[in-house]
Amino acid sequence: MSFWGATHLVAQREINAQIRGKGLWITFALFVVGLFAAAILPGVFGDDSAPAVATFGPQATRVVAATDLEARAVADLEQAQALVRGGEVDAAVVDDPASTTGIRVIAMTQTPYQVVAALAAPPPVDLLAPDAVSDQVLFLASFAFALVFFIFGMSGVGIAQSVVTEKQTRIVEILVATIPVRALLTGKIAAYSLLVFGQVGALALLAPLALRAGDLGVLLSLIAPALGWFVPFFLLGYVLLASVWAVAGALVSRAEDLSSTTPLVTMLVMIPYLGVTFFQDNDQAMTVLSYVPFSSAVAMPVRMFAGEPQLWEPIVSLAILAATLVVAVLVAARLYTGSLLQTGARVRLRRAWSGAENPMA
Amino acid sequence: MLQVRSISRSFQGNKVLDDLSFHAAPGRITGFVGANGSGKTTTMRIILGVLAADAGTVTWHGVPITQQVRQRFGYMPEERGLYPKMKVAEQIVYLGRLHGLDLATARHNTAALLERLELIDRADDPVERLSMGNQQRVQICAALVHEPDLLILDEPFSGLDPLAIETVLGVLRAQAARGVPVLFSSHQLELVERLCDDLVIISGGTTAASGDRKSLRARFSTPRFELVVDGDAGWVRDVPGVEVSELDGARVVFDLPESEAESEQAQRVLQEAVRRGPVRSFGAVVPSLAEIFREVI
């Protein structure tokens, strides 16, 4: 059988095993629930309706009419106070010639900031060179990218578990005697990558539904352009992580020992997430992060979204990521080969490297 | 024909195999015998390409073994391994396909093997729910599903109950009858004695003795006889040219170490015994494999 034939069989088995397991579906279900919750719940629980105020006097009536406060005109001051005391309105706005603004706000126990804010008329602003997207939308987009990359990156621990299961049950000896080690590694990485891409694809299809359900459709049109760059970076970035996860699994012999190798990989997954979250306002740091493999998967799409870089920049960054990926897969294949048949608590990297004497690799 | 020529292998400066050579012929069952740590598993792993030899060659029909050829080998490692959560039949089909079978053939062979090893009722159970003995049978199916060109089994009988041992013996004989070389290691010498046609004894990483079982026996046995009489057999000690190795009242075991005409010498002892009284039994003693084993290592 050819290398690709073996790879295909291995990938097929991994995908079948995952699809039949519960873990994959639980994670995916949580994702879908989280997506819809994030889109809909703020609208449901948020104090959507504007506060109601009682108004008395021509000046007060005019000022309130210019806001989106819900106005209830009353005949005199006593009546306004009665409505406030009775809790029928949040506050009363009445004429007061002594005040510089000509009006006065009456409330029960606390200053009604929402009403006060509504009454304060901000001066008009002219932007000579406005940002392509608002800071809030930029934050939201980068946070969403970082979170998706982080969670799916962490799910790569499944690859490490699959590798160590084969080591622990010793079926690996039959597998290695039958097919090339590289086919085993490639099949695993391919299987988990396809599963993750499938989930991300499904989430991408569900996102518009969720945003519309939450009446946030406008966000979608803002974030959509950034997705175009996120996709290739995510694909390469994920495969890079997957190969590292596979090595993390191959270096130990029992599932219980995985904790001795996974923290390093976890760090690699966290760097883009934390980096982009912390340095979002630091242009220099973001530029560096957008070229460093692992973090570039999130940082570059975010910068593209903000409209900063030239077109060649993401292409160079993608090329760096792709080159790193090739090197990483070659190194991973060698370490994987060298450590697959070694037993013991933890295979040292040097031993794994020199242990790759397998003639088939 | 599998030919292993002068292979050597060290682990961290410790020489495990040192110029080991032997062969496994088609249609014959070759027993691979040696003490613990003598290098049996390392040799098998080298044949399967799981490990590389530092020196020496392994050839199949005179040609170095490639991945394509190796894929047609069947292997049962000493440390058994299967996917615990995968269903029995599905797992064997999968391994069959990795060995290059198409789906239909893999399914057909799997069903036939499960039937033969009396596992057909458990086909859809996850392996982890089977008893150890049944898991062992599944492991044998995994090594046989692709009708291998060469069968290599590392300690196939360890952990098997007597009934399962008979089943495995039958399966191995059937494979050899198909014309396939079967190489298996075991430290259960009685089983090796019952099963194998040829024998390779490994000691200190090198071949201590090899050849077909009968000629090995002839080579390593001094002519030895057992005599049981009615009275005391102590007189045999005084017969010239006889060396008594065991004497227990009426029973005596003796060698004829320097005898050119051993059967004449033996006849003389027998005649003397008959002259002295009734003889209960008299016969040549064939050395057991265990004795040969003790002698060569």
Side-chain angles (χ1 to χ4, degrees):
Chain A
M1 189 184 8
S2 68
F3 175 87
W4 292 113
T7 304
H8 181 232
L9 283 173
V10 171
Q12 206 174 29
R13 198 203 76 84
E14 292 286 345
I15 290 177
N16 278 340
Q18 286 297 310
I19 285 182
R20 285 187 212 160
K22 291 193 203 82
L24 176 87
W25 296 109
I26 292 174
T27 321
F28 186 66
L30 285 178
F31 246 117
V32 173
V33 170
L35 177 69
F36 277 87
I40 298 172
L41 290 188
V44 174
F45 289 117
D47 196 356
D48 228 358
S49 58
V53 291
T55 58
F56 167 61
Q59 171 77 352
T61 308
R62 195 162 47 78
V63 170
V64 169
T67 69
D68 54 4
L69 296 173
E70 193 187 310
R72 259 176 87 178
V74 291
D76 54 35
L77 191 61
E78 282 70 35
Q79 204 177 346
Q81 286 176 342
L83 282 177
V84 171
R85 285 211 180 82
E88 286 172 57
V89 294
D90 296 295
V93 181
V94 297
D95 277 10
D96 178 10
S99 155
T100 48
T101 53
I103 53 173
R104 173 173 292 275
V105 175
I106 300 166
M108 272 301 280
T109 53
Q110 286 171 349
T111 307
Y113 289 108
Q114 218 178 340
V115 174
V116 174
L119 294 174
V125 178
D126 284 344
L127 292 176
L128 295 178
D131 267 344
V133 290
S134 76
D135 280 355
Q136 277 167 322
V137 173
L138 182 62
F139 175 77
L140 199 73
S142 50
F143 184 72
F145 287 166
L147 193 68
V148 167
F149 190 75
F150 173 68
I151 293 183
F152 281 110
M154 286 307 290
S155 78
V157 73
I159 300 179
Q161 275 159 353
S162 163
V163 170
V164 81
T165 302
E166 285 175 358
K167 273 191 88 170
Q168 192 164 15
T169 61
R170 305 299 305 160
I171 193 170
V172 69
E173 193 160 344
I174 297 179
L175 298 175
V176 167
T178 311
I179 57 170
V181 179
R182 275 159 202 257
L184 194 55
L185 177 66
T186 314
K188 279 188 195 302
I189 293 177
Y192 280 84
S193 300
L194 286 175
L195 283 172
V196 163
F197 301 160
Q199 290 179 74
V200 172
L203 286 176
L205 290 178
L206 287 174
L209 296 179
L211 290 176
R212 286 215 185 87
D215 228 2
L216 297 168
V218 62
L219 263 183
L220 190 69
S221 56
L222 283 169
I223 294 185
L227 280 174
W229 282 108
F230 185 60
V231 169
F233 277 97
F234 180 83
L235 297 188
L236 293 184
Y238 182 80
V239 176
L240 181 61
L241 278 176
S243 61
V244 180
W245 278 116
V247 172
L251 290 178
V252 294
S253 308
R254 299 179 306 160
E256 303 90 287
D257 296 330
L258 260 181
S259 57
S260 69
T261 55
T262 47
L264 189 75
V265 195
T266 309
M267 255 177 60
L268 286 176
V269 181
M270 303 249 307
I271 285 170
Y273 176 70
L274 296 178
V276 170
T277 314
F278 285 144
F279 296 115
Q280 208 183 355
D281 297 329
N282 184 334
D283 283 351
Q284 252 176 333
M286 281 297 283
T287 307
V288 172
L289 286 175
S290 70
Y291 284 101
V292 176
F294 293 104
S295 65
S296 66
V298 178
M300 187 54 94
V302 167
R303 283 187 66 216
M304 291 305 290
F305 186 43
E308 291 168 35
Q310 305 287 319
L311 186 62
W312 59 265
E313 290 196 62
I315 294 169
V316 169
S317 175
L318 261 185
I320 295 175
L321 185 56
T324 312
L325 177 60
V326 170
V327 173
V329 167
L330 290 178
V331 171
R334 175 153 184 166
L335 291 174
Y336 184 72
T337 309
S339 49
L340 213 49
L341 291 170
Q342 311 252 16
T343 47
R346 154 105 200 255
V347 184
R348 296 274 142 212
L349 277 178
R350 192 190 300 172
R351 180 127 182 252
W353 182 258
S354 59
E357 74 263 300
N358 194 308
M360 300 179 298
Chain B
M1 164 94 92
L2 174 78
Q3 186 88 46
V4 175
R5 275 200 202 91
S6 304
I7 55 170
S8 300
R9 169 73 205 217
S10 302
F11 291 103
Q12 278 112 47
N14 178 20
K15 201 150 201 175
V16 173
L17 293 181
D18 185 8
D19 200 25
L20 175 78
S21 299
F22 67 91
H23 68 265
R28 293 181 75 84
I29 300 180
T30 305
F32 195 32
V33 183
N36 289 338
S38 56
K40 299 188 295 285
T41 297
T42 302
T43 306
M44 290 183 162
R45 285 180 169 174
I46 287 173
I47 296 171
L48 269 306
V50 172
L51 281 175
D54 296 335
T57 56
V58 180
T59 56
W60 176 245
H61 297 317
V63 186
I65 297 169
T66 61
Q67 173 73 40
Q68 296 297 320
V69 172
R70 192 177 286 122
Q71 204 178 283
R72 296 286 314 142
F73 292 174
Y75 178 37
M76 179 167 167
E78 182 180 13
E79 293 184 80
R80 317 287 189 238
L82 294 165
Y83 291 106
K85 298 194 189 310
M86 209 169 167
K87 290 173 183 167
V88 171
E90 199 183 344
Q91 178 142 222
I92 299 170
V93 168
Y94 172 64
L95 291 170
R97 296 202 66 200
L98 283 186
H99 281 289
L101 298 186
D102 60 66
L103 184 58
T105 316
R107 282 196 176 137
H108 173 262
N109 290 4
T110 299
L113 273 172
L114 290 180
E115 186 74 57
R116 171 123 177 248
L117 289 169
E118 294 157 15
L119 285 170
I120 202 76
D121 300 340
R122 313 303 301 270
D124 286 327
D125 287 345
V127 168
E128 63 187 355
R129 267 200 232 138
L130 269 57
S131 67
M132 288 315 281
N134 277 341
Q135 290 191 18
Q136 190 96 322
R137 291 180 199 214
V138 177
Q139 196 85 50
I140 289 165
C141 295
L144 296 178
V145 60
H146 53 296
E147 297 177 314
D149 297 339
L150 166 71
L151 192 55
I152 295 185
L153 308 105
D154 202 351
E155 297 284 353
F157 302 106
S158 75
L160 286 185
D161 62 59
L163 226 70
I165 286 179
E166 290 308 316
T167 314
V168 176
L169 282 174
V171 167
L172 297 194
R173 286 205 184 98
Q175 291 297 314
R178 237 171 18 95
V180 168
V182 177
L183 176 70
F184 78 100
S185 73
S186 181
H187 60 264
Q188 285 154 286
L189 296 174
E190 326 79 68
L191 286 172
V192 178
E193 193 149 27
R194 273 179 65 192
L195 183 62
C196 69
D197 306 306
D198 294 329
L199 203 61
V200 176
I201 301 177
I202 177 174
S203 170
T206 195
T207 322
S210 70
D212 79 79
R213 191 178 42 159
K214 289 197 186 91
S215 67
L216 266 184
R217 264 194 184 148
R219 186 158 17 124
F220 286 98
S221 59
T222 51
R224 170 170 286 193
F225 297 87
E226 186 192 55
L227 170 71
V228 183
V229 293
D230 256 3
D232 184 73
W235 56 267
V236 177
R237 273 179 301 203
D238 306 324
V239 179
V242 168
E243 215 169 78
V244 170
S245 71
E246 277 175 59
L247 177 62
D248 177 21
R251 177 178 167 274
V252 64
V253 177
F254 62 93
D255 297 335
L256 301 170
E258 285 146 47
S259 172
E260 291 290 308
E262 59 189 62
S263 68
E264 272 172 46
Q265 182 92 349
Q267 290 305 316
R268 264 203 298 283
V269 176
L270 176 61
Q271 279 158 12
E272 176 65 20
V274 171
R275 200 182 60 77
R276 285 170 178 258
V279 171
R280 295 297 164 200
S281 84
F282 179 79
V285 178
V286 181
S288 71
L289 186 53
E291 286 165 303
I292 298 178
F293 185 66
R294 269 198 297 275
E295 195 165 328
V296 299
I297 66 167

